[in-house]
Every structure is written in structure tokens, then in C-alpha cells.
Amino acid sequence: ITLNILERDKALALLEDDDDKDAFLNAVVANWGDDVLDDAEPPQPLAFTPENLRKLAQTPYVFTAIVDCYFGEALGAKAKRKN
């Protein structure tokens, strides 16, 4: 997954809006690769669209994994800028 790193306050504000988690996802997830597959037989690469992102994030633990990844990368990017 390719992520957009936002200003910390903006990312937190988007995440805190319990009614619109899609806003956070759409702001931070820029794309994904061909390793994200659909559920067809045989599996095919899943096109990156806002609808597919929303559906994917409804899979158990996927939204949490994206949030963890995002803040891990955001904190890493901040640390790199300081060095």
C-alpha cells in the first residue's frame, strides 16, 4: 500500500470522526499494488478505487492494520526529517 503522509493534526482529526472513516482512508491510502487480490477464482489484482478501499477496510483487522501502518510510516518519516 502506498500512503500519503498528512500533518499529524489533520490525520488525527480524520481518524477521530467515527461517522466517516472513509475520509481518513481516502486521504491517506494513495494506491496499492497487484498483490491485493479480489475473491474471484482464480484471484485477480483488485483495482484501486474508493469503493474497493472501503470494502477492503471492512474486512476484519484491515482498517486497524492500515492505521497502524500509517502511523508507523508517519512517525518514521518524521524521524527521518529530523536526522
Side-chain angles (χ1 to χ4, degrees), residues 3-15 21-30 70-71 73-75 77-78 81:
L3 299 171
N4 296 313
I5 303 299
L6 308 175
E7 291 181 16
R8 181 180 157 275
D9 291 343
K10 182 174 182 176
L12 290 173
L14 287 169
L15 190 57
K21 298 299 186 197
D22 290 347
F24 175 81
L25 291 170
N26 290 325
V28 302
V29 179
Y70 174 80
F71 283 102
E73 289 297 313
L75 293 173
K78 182 178 179 182
R81 282 195 301 266

Side-chain angles (χ1 to χ4, degrees), residues 16-48:
E16 288 175 355
D17 185 355
D18 288 333
D19 295 328
D20 191 10
K21 298 299 186 197
D22 290 347
F24 175 81
L25 291 170
N26 290 325
V28 302
V29 179
N31 202 353
W32 59 57
D34 290 341
D35 55 340
V36 177
L37 305 175
D38 63 17
D39 57 1
E41 285 299 325
Q44 299 295 315
L46 185 64
F48 180 76

